[in-house]
Amino acid sequence: MSDPLSSKAGPRSIGAAFAALAERLGVILGRGVPATATAGPEGVGAEAAFTPFFPAMLDLLPDPLILIQGWERQDAGARRFIYANNAARDLLRIQRPQAALTTAIRAPEVLDAVDVALFDDTPSQADYVIRGVQDRFWRASALPLPQPLGAPRLALLTLRDETEIRRSERTRADFLANASHELRTPLASLTGFIETLRGHAREDPEARERFLGIMHIQAERMRGLIDDLMSLSRIELSEHIPPSGQADMVSVVIDVLDALGPLAKTRSVTFQTRLPSPGEAVAAADRGQIVQVIQNLVENAIKYTADGGSVMVEVIGDLATADAGTAVGDLPARFSILTPDRATGKRYVVVRVRDFGPGIDRNHLPRLTERFYRVEGQKVRDRPGTGLGLAIVKHILNRHRGGLIVESGLGVGTRFTAYVPKGEAAGA
Ligand code: ADP
């Protein structure tokens, strides 16, 4: 079968071969495009002058774009690439012009969409998933093209990368499902106890007191969860606005340790601190948010420390980016959860919170700041936690253009290092 669009090119690069085809394609399509016909003589001249640039222009497009030809519906092997721009050649690893369509695309939905465009003269769309280490989701659109007399049928296939949209939709759906589940559990418990109190516990003062105590804990749990959810959404809303205040990290740590003193006392946990003088560790920070960061880290440290143990909090007033972002290195595993953009000359205030609790296996470290992520098998008696504390920490530090490192080892404990840019007052 003769092929009016076939390349007579010798052994050139695939890009050049496609470009030659595209140049001819520009001429073919130019003839069929209505704009050319309706434009005045000036318009026609201007468009013709740009035709040689069509291939280069198409290669600059970020979305894969492919021109496909077909002869008859029954002849699947005759569906061939006539042109593929750079993005398409990279994505589909098209080795040569005129390759059969099925050498690069095997997804039946996409092939069907192309057939509809080619032979039914109707636009058609399909989802196209490219499986790999990380699946990528594309939206394929096949559009019929005007067909020159006696030539094969033509369709334009474009692919739009929807991976990020899908991922964020998924995250949102997971988040809603998790939040509802977390709220439903204490709610179910409350409902159950209300029934019991109305029923057989009505005349039993001892049981009533016990149940009311449990109901109080469950109600507190719901309140904590709602507080954390509200915090997280507030922080996300302001994440793109840099903080404008200054916070003396030493006074922040002292305030947090004072506030958590009673909790530590109930567990006989003692604090050890290594702090510079007030004024030597001033951060460019929203004080309220930084209090929340330190509070969440110290509260976790207390929670995962055995009764009678100790928690160490250290503040360092002035470190360069590389030093602030380097783990101490004395624990078996480390992971940098958040790293600020490297800006030369930037100085940081660093806070380290170290506990000697059960530690966290290295596999879990990258996932700790995911919403509702919890390390399986950890027993926490006092406060079940919301699974949102570290997510809040990460978002606040991100807003501050700061960083977060976790180091840990099973049986030897955990250290979180949070660092935020130094404030002006301290530099003065
Ligand atoms: P939670 O409210 O459950 O503590 P976080 O977001 O603060 O939620 O922490 C997420 C998970 O990370 C915790 O459930 C726990 O499994 C683990 N984790 C956090 N801090 C520590 C720590 N200091 N020691 C051991 N595990 C920790």
Side-chain angles (χ1 to χ4, degrees):
M1 192 181 295
S2 88
D3 183 345
L5 288 174
S6 72
S7 167
K8 297 202 171 58
R12 286 180 296 170
S13 79
I14 177 168
F18 268 125
L21 280 168
E23 205 169 312
R24 299 176 64 197
L25 168 72
V27 178
I28 290 166
L29 292 183
R31 255 189 264 139
V33 174
T36 317
T38 50
E42 234 183 296
V44 174
E47 189 160 322
F50 284 113
T51 304
F53 298 108
F54 278 13
M57 280 158 50
L58 295 177
D59 270 344
L60 288 176
L61 292 178
D63 287 346
L65 180 140
I66 303 148
L67 186 69
I68 296 160
Q69 75 170 34
W71 291 91
E72 283 164 45
R73 197 186 282 274
Q74 294 75 15
D75 189 0
R79 318 240 210 301
R80 289 177 180 277
F81 294 105
I82 308 195
Y83 169 75
N85 70 350
N86 243 337
R89 294 197 298 272
D90 282 354
L91 178 74
L92 300 172
R93 299 205 185 88
I94 302 169
Q95 303 292 346
R96 56 188 177 82
Q98 305 288 308
L101 181 59
T102 46
T103 56
I105 299 179
R106 273 169 226 96
E109 316 79 59
V110 181
L111 296 174
D112 283 349
V114 169
D115 277 2
V116 169
L118 281 175
F119 304 112
D120 300 338
D121 220 15
T122 308
S124 180
Q125 296 205 329
D127 285 331
Y128 181 32
V129 186
I130 300 182
R131 303 276 172 208
V133 183
Q134 293 213 311
D135 293 347
R136 294 209 71 85
F137 298 90
W138 298 85
R139 185 77 180 148
S141 303
L143 299 164
L145 281 174
Q147 182 195 7
L149 214 59
R153 288 169 178 275
L154 295 175
L156 190 68
L157 181 68
T158 58
L159 299 173
R160 198 175 63 222
D161 191 350
E162 293 192 341
T163 312
E164 286 313 317
I165 302 171
R166 296 281 184 100
R167 218 166 264 162
S168 70
E169 271 171 10
R170 181 70 188 267
T171 310
R172 221 172 64 89
D174 285 354
F175 174 68
L176 274 177
N178 280 327
S180 319
H181 173 79
E182 295 289 328
L183 281 168
R184 199 175 286 145
T185 312
L187 194 59
S189 155
L190 279 176
T191 319
F193 282 115
I194 290 171
E195 292 299 308
T196 317
L197 284 172
R198 280 181 159 163
H200 66 265
R202 187 200 286 265
E203 308 302 338
D204 181 347
E206 208 176 292
R208 204 168 53 212
E209 273 314 299
R210 199 156 49 83
F211 293 158
L212 284 173
I214 300 171
M215 288 169 75
H216 179 73
I217 291 170
Q218 296 297 343
E220 281 295 302
R221 189 172 158 196
M222 286 179 79
R223 197 178 55 84
L225 188 61
I226 290 164
D227 284 351
D228 279 359
L229 285 170
M230 303 272 292
S231 264
L232 201 52
S233 94
R234 256 198 316 270
I235 294 158
E236 278 185 328
L237 283 178
S238 70
E239 207 162 336
H240 60 286
I241 308 165
S244 56
Q246 309 271 323
D248 182 337
M249 203 58 92
V250 173
S251 92
V252 167
V253 166
I254 290 171
D255 284 359
V256 167
L257 297 188
D258 279 350
L260 292 175
L263 173 69
K265 208 165 172 194
T266 58
R267 307 273 318 285
S268 307
V269 170
T270 51
F271 296 131
Q272 292 175 24
T273 54
R274 198 182 297 163
L275 308 174
S277 306
E280 281 182 8
V282 177
D286 175 323
R287 192 175 195 280
Q289 288 195 340
I290 288 301
V291 165
Q292 206 171 353
V293 166
I294 308 302
Q295 182 154 330
N296 286 357
L297 295 179
V298 176
E299 198 172 333
N300 276 348
I302 299 171
K303 213 161 65 174
Y304 296 99
T305 294
D307 288 4
S310 65
V311 168
M312 277 170 54
V313 184
E314 182 184 12
V315 174
I316 304 165
D318 185 15
L319 284 185
T321 317
D323 295 327
T326 304
V328 176
D330 57 343
L331 294 174
R334 66 210 61 139
F335 184 76
S336 205
I337 293 174
L338 180 70
T339 314
D341 295 337
R342 298 261 157 173
T344 44
K346 208 149 193 188
R347 314 288 299 182
Y348 291 86
V349 175
V350 178
V351 183
R352 297 200 165 116
V353 180
R354 166 85 159 100
D355 67 60
F356 301 86
I360 307 165
D361 187 74
R362 67 173 69 237
N363 296 333
H364 296 288
L365 299 186
R367 301 197 57 193
L368 288 181
T369 51
E370 282 177 22
R371 288 151 201 217
F372 300 112
Y373 188 78
R374 291 196 189 112
V375 177
E376 279 165 34
Q378 283 182 351
K379 291 197 193 84
V380 182
R381 296 158 301 171
D382 307 328
R383 205 185 73 105
T386 60
L388 293 172
L390 289 178
I392 291 173
V393 165
K394 182 180 167 182
H395 281 279
I396 292 178
L397 291 174
N398 190 35
R399 181 189 174 209
H400 284 75
R401 303 284 173 263
L404 181 66
I405 305 167
V406 57
E407 298 171 81
S408 199
L410 287 178
V412 285
T414 304
R415 177 189 295 109
F416 282 93
T417 299
Y419 53 103
V420 281
K422 220 167 140 65
E424 281 158 23

